[in-house]
Amino acid sequence: MAEPTVCSFLTKVLCAHGGRMFLQDLRAHVELSEARLGDVLRQAGPDRFLLQEVAVKEGPWDAEAEVAAGAGGGGGGGGPSAWRVVAVSSARLCARYQRGECQACDQLHFCRRHMQGKCPNRDCWSTCTLSHDIHTPVNIQVLKNHGLFGLNEAQLRILLLQNDPCLLPEVCLCYNKGEALYGYCILKDKCNKFHVCKSFVRGECRLQKCKRSHQLIHAASLKLLEDQGLNVSSVVNFQIISTYRHEKLHKMLENKDNSASSVEHSQGLEKQGRPVPGPAEARPLASAPAQSAKKPCAGKP
């Protein structure tokens, strides 16, 4: 099979199993060796498949523990570990289409409330002004552009729920203003909106230590998700993906700052008439020890 077809099939399998699987479990559904499957996932990259080594916890599944499992950057705590694969996509529902303002674009034209299972016209979709069909010409082209051909509606729903922030409970804008614990939200714990950093869920928070919460999974939010009938497992996946993206953005900004500081330092030396060290002088040579690959072990995501 061609590489795009393989990636599409892997996304389909992942979304048929909740959007997240252990590598060895995913391996059982494809005719690829473990090494070849790992290569495909790494070549596709984290914008398509988030591959993380995580600690394997015994006992009943716990949403907060699942999120925390990969927070340390691996399963190096001495206990059992395994490679976790999460389906990632940049496909999104078109916000302008929901308002009747867009006829065709590079985003999905699909009823947001139907995707959430809340459309009042769900049983008689022909009366809804928005499409309930993922197989319209516009949507088929968008899915092809994102390498998502072959997904059915249920699988696409899982993928979007863990990637598209517009399908999360509404974020409280009052919470995102002000300095207090609850911002300007007067409802506080009784608020039926998400008390979370709005920039974080969009993948845009540039602060390493943000005063707004970056935790979508905690006691209050779990009750909110339950009350709104949303899939907790999908929000766990959204948290995993968003945390990775925030760390990646912060590292990129940090490297950019370090690069700018280095340039300013070099320019300062030039102005002083002092020689600027070359690459070999600027950093001492050091041989990094080779890291041995860890074989994933059994467990449940």
Side-chain angles (χ1 to χ4, degrees):
M1 289 187 291
E3 220 61 67
T5 307
V6 174
C7 290
S8 182
F9 179 73
L10 292 175
T11 299
K12 184 179 178 72
V13 172
L14 284 167
C15 292
H17 292 80
R20 175 188 71 246
M21 298 174 74
F22 280 137
L23 181 61
Q24 63 179 25
D25 297 329
L26 179 60
R27 164 77 179 81
H29 293 269
V30 296
E31 297 180 0
L32 295 172
S33 67
E34 187 176 297
R36 177 61 182 144
L37 176 57
D39 287 342
V40 170
L41 296 172
R42 291 183 180 90
Q43 287 170 12
D47 290 335
R48 189 67 191 266
F49 303 108
L50 182 54
L51 185 62
Q52 295 176 313
E53 188 183 14
V54 299
V56 177
K57 304 289 185 181
E58 297 295 335
W61 184 81
D62 177 79
E64 293 184 70
E66 178 67 33
V67 171
S81 65
W83 289 96
R84 179 176 66 191
V85 187
V86 186
V88 183
S89 177
S90 58
R92 299 287 185 269
L93 296 181
C94 175
R96 294 180 61 242
Y97 172 74
Q98 309 300 318
R99 302 190 296 267
E101 300 172 357
C102 184
Q103 297 301 317
C105 66
D106 59 352
Q107 296 179 320
L108 292 164
H109 284 195
F110 197 85
C111 175
R112 179 175 63 87
R113 290 190 295 175
H114 177 68
M115 188 61 74
Q116 294 172 318
K118 297 179 179 180
C119 182
N121 301 303
R122 180 172 49 185
D123 298 327
C124 187
W125 60 267
S126 60
T127 61
C128 183
T129 59
L130 302 176
S131 175
H132 287 201
D133 184 6
I134 66 171
H135 297 112
T136 62
V138 170
N139 289 337
I140 288 175
Q141 188 58 54
V142 172
L143 292 174
K144 284 184 177 179
N145 292 344
H146 288 275
L148 299 175
F149 36 86
L151 271 68
N152 60 33
E153 184 181 309
Q155 293 159 354
L156 180 60
R157 177 180 287 109
I158 290 294
L159 185 65
L160 291 176
L161 282 172
Q162 64 191 49
N163 284 278
D164 192 343
C166 87
L167 294 172
L168 287 174
E170 186 179 353
V171 173
C172 180
L173 298 182
C174 292
Y175 164 77
N176 277 270
K177 299 176 182 178
E179 298 292 336
L181 178 61
Y182 296 101
Y184 290 153
C185 180
I186 60 175
L187 296 177
K188 300 183 179 180
D189 290 331
K190 296 180 180 179
C191 183
N192 62 354
K193 298 178 181 179
F194 246 160
H195 279 202
V196 67
C197 173
K198 65 178 181 180
S199 297
F200 174 74
V201 298
R202 295 173 183 169
E204 300 170 354
C205 184
R206 302 167 71 91
L207 304 173
Q208 185 181 24
K209 295 182 178 180
C210 181
K211 61 184 178 182
R212 309 298 176 196
S213 173
H214 284 193
Q215 297 301 317
L216 281 66
I217 303 298
H218 51 77
S221 68
L222 289 174
K223 185 178 185 306
L224 176 62
L225 295 172
E226 184 180 335
D227 290 344
Q228 298 195 15
L230 293 176
N231 189 327
V232 174
S233 181
S234 292
V235 181
V236 167
N237 292 349
F238 191 99
Q239 174 81 68
I240 292 170
I241 294 169
S242 297
T243 299
Y244 168 80
R245 285 176 172 161
H246 180 252
E247 292 172 351
K248 180 181 177 182
L249 176 61
H250 177 71
K251 287 179 181 177
M252 182 186 73
L253 294 173
E254 193 175 54
N255 291 337
K256 186 177 179 180
D257 290 342
N258 289 340
S259 177
S261 298
S262 178
V263 170
E264 291 176 3
H265 178 66
S266 298
Q267 291 174 343
L269 292 177
E270 288 176 349
K271 288 180 180 178
Q272 297 173 21
R274 297 166 61 185
V276 179
E281 301 172 84
R283 56 177 185 272
L285 296 174
S287 57
Q291 296 182 346
S292 59
K294 295 184 180 179
K295 184 178 180 182
C297 64
K300 294 182 180 181

